């Protein structure tokens, strides 16, 4: 009900219908949709969606990956917060962002065993350490297998009970290894500007293929095959680009 907002930001498929209803009731409200709404594209003033969604139009602001909360300032704060926890671990610190099964990928014992072997090879080459944070999708059995397979190596795995050092790992790591199943995690890893290595396991979709190809072309990430490489790139700032687009749209409405 009125008074209606000046700006309405919606995200996800379930928000599309309510957002369009508000826009119809209040045409002056600037409607911004995060992610592909899958229909009624022209009825939104702005749609902020990743390039791999292949959505085109004058009202579409493309991003390289997912919008996220990683900033250089946050990385500094989180690195300082967790520095004592990992200070005695051998460098380089290899941060591992571990996903799991979803509608497109299947993480099973075979994938975990192969991943464990590649991480072992990487540590043998670098004499470094692993700092690992699993996700809710990883599964207890997969975490147990990984822990057992790497138990003789310098390693930390988040136990799910203490505070998750996820952003601390992003801030402190010298290089990152991320599983292929999460666009969000890969986007956040690439926002650090550090070498990002992607471990690919069984599954996928055209959308994921396009995303993996795009960040590879931009030299932000490479396939993880047991070697930790060192290279530099300019991390994307999708959030700032999207914010600037919103401000530009608001100025048009002001006039």
């Amino acid at each position: 009900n009125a008074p209606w907002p000046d700006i309405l930001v919606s995200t996800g498929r379930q928000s599309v219908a309510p957002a369009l209803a508000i826009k119809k009731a209040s045409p002056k409200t600037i409607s911004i949709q995060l992610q592909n709404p899958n229909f009624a594209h022209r009825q939104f003033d702005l749609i902020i969606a990743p390039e791999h969604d292949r959505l085109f139009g004058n009202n579409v602001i493309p991003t390289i990956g997912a919008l996220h909360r990683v900033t250089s300032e946050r990385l500094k704060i989180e690195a300082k917060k967790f520095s004592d926890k990992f200070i005695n671990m051998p460098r380089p610190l290899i941060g591992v962002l571990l996903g799991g099964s979803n509608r497109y990928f299947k993480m099973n014992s075979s994938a975990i065993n192969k991943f464990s072997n590649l991480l072992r090879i990487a540590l043998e080459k670098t004499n470094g350490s692993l700092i690992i944070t699993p996700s809710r999708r990883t599964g207890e059995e997969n975490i147990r297998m990984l822990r057992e397979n790497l138990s003789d190596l310098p390693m930390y795995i988040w136990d799910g009970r203490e505070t998750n050092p996820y952003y601390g790992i992003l801030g402190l790591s010298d290089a990152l290894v991320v599983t292929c199943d999460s666009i969000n995690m890969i986007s956040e890893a690439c926002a650090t500007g550090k070498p990002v290595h992607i471990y690919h396991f069984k599954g996928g979709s055209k959308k994921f293929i396009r995303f993996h190809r795009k960040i590879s072309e931009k030299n932000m990430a490479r396939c993880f095959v047991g070697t930790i490489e060192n290279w530099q790139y300019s991390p994307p700032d999708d959030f700032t680009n999207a914010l600037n687009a919103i401000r530009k749209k608001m100025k048009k409405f002001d006039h």
Side-chain angles (χ1 to χ4, degrees):
N1 297 328
W4 301 108
D6 295 325
I7 300 176
L8 174 66
V9 180
S10 54
T11 183
R13 295 180 183 179
Q14 294 183 349
S15 69
V16 174
L20 293 177
I22 293 174
K23 181 65 176 177
K24 183 176 181 180
S26 175
K28 291 185 178 180
T29 294
I30 301 175
S31 57
I32 302 170
Q33 170 70 15
L34 305 182
Q35 301 177 359
N36 188 349
N38 292 303
F39 66 94
H41 301 120
R42 296 181 181 179
Q43 296 184 43
F44 288 94
D45 294 305
L46 278 179
I47 299 174
I48 301 171
E51 292 181 15
H52 55 257
D53 278 349
R54 304 187 76 178
L55 187 61
F56 307 101
N58 293 331
N59 63 334
V60 177
I61 306 302
T63 62
I64 295 174
L67 296 181
H68 52 73
R69 296 177 292 170
V70 174
T71 63
S72 57
E73 184 62 26
R74 182 169 193 175
L75 292 178
K76 290 177 183 177
I77 293 172
E78 294 292 323
K80 184 177 180 181
K81 180 179 177 181
F82 289 98
S83 60
D84 289 345
K85 190 175 193 66
F86 306 120
I87 194 170
N88 294 321
M89 299 186 74
R91 308 289 298 222
L93 291 177
I94 302 171
V96 180
L97 310 183
L98 184 60
S101 298
N102 57 26
R103 61 184 294 190
Y104 298 113
F105 293 93
K106 180 67 175 178
M107 180 179 283
N108 53 25
S109 59
S110 175
I112 285 293
N113 285 329
K114 181 181 177 181
F115 192 35
S116 302
N117 290 334
L118 292 176
L119 289 172
R120 177 178 293 277
I121 292 170
L123 250 60
E124 290 174 350
K125 292 178 180 178
T126 62
N127 295 315
S129 306
L130 299 172
I131 44 179
I132 305 171
T133 176
S135 72
R136 287 175 293 181
R137 293 183 292 105
T138 306
E140 293 184 6
E141 181 61 20
N142 286 332
I143 295 173
R144 183 192 65 78
M145 288 181 59
L146 190 71
R147 191 187 299 274
E148 287 184 359
N149 290 347
L150 304 174
S151 61
D152 59 319
L153 300 175
M155 173 193 62
Y156 163 88
I157 300 183
W158 180 52
D159 60 9
R161 293 190 292 271
E162 57 185 3
T163 302
N164 189 348
Y166 181 88
Y167 292 101
I169 290 174
L170 290 179
L172 289 167
S173 296
D174 299 298
L176 294 159
V177 178
V178 191
T179 54
C180 62
D181 56 286
S182 173
I183 290 174
N184 285 342
M185 289 197 308
I186 295 173
S187 299
E188 289 171 335
C190 290
T192 67
K194 299 175 181 181
V196 176
H197 307 73
I198 301 178
Y199 170 60
H200 293 270
F201 56 93
K202 189 175 182 180
S205 69
K206 291 181 179 179
K207 179 179 73 171
F208 273 93
I209 291 172
R210 289 194 295 265
F211 172 66
H212 292 150
R213 182 183 296 130
K214 173 63 68 173
I215 59 173
S216 176
E217 290 173 351
K218 291 183 175 294
N219 201 32
M220 295 190 296
R222 301 175 183 177
C223 291
F224 179 56
V225 291
T227 300
I228 299 299
E229 301 181 64
N230 186 27
W231 73 94
Q232 294 182 334
Y233 60 91
S234 297
D237 193 353
D238 285 333
F239 186 85
T240 298
N241 293 339
L243 189 60
N244 289 337
I246 293 172
R247 288 170 174 162
K248 186 176 180 180
K249 175 65 70 172
M250 288 181 67
K251 286 182 179 179
K252 288 184 179 180
F253 273 68
D254 288 341
H255 290 89

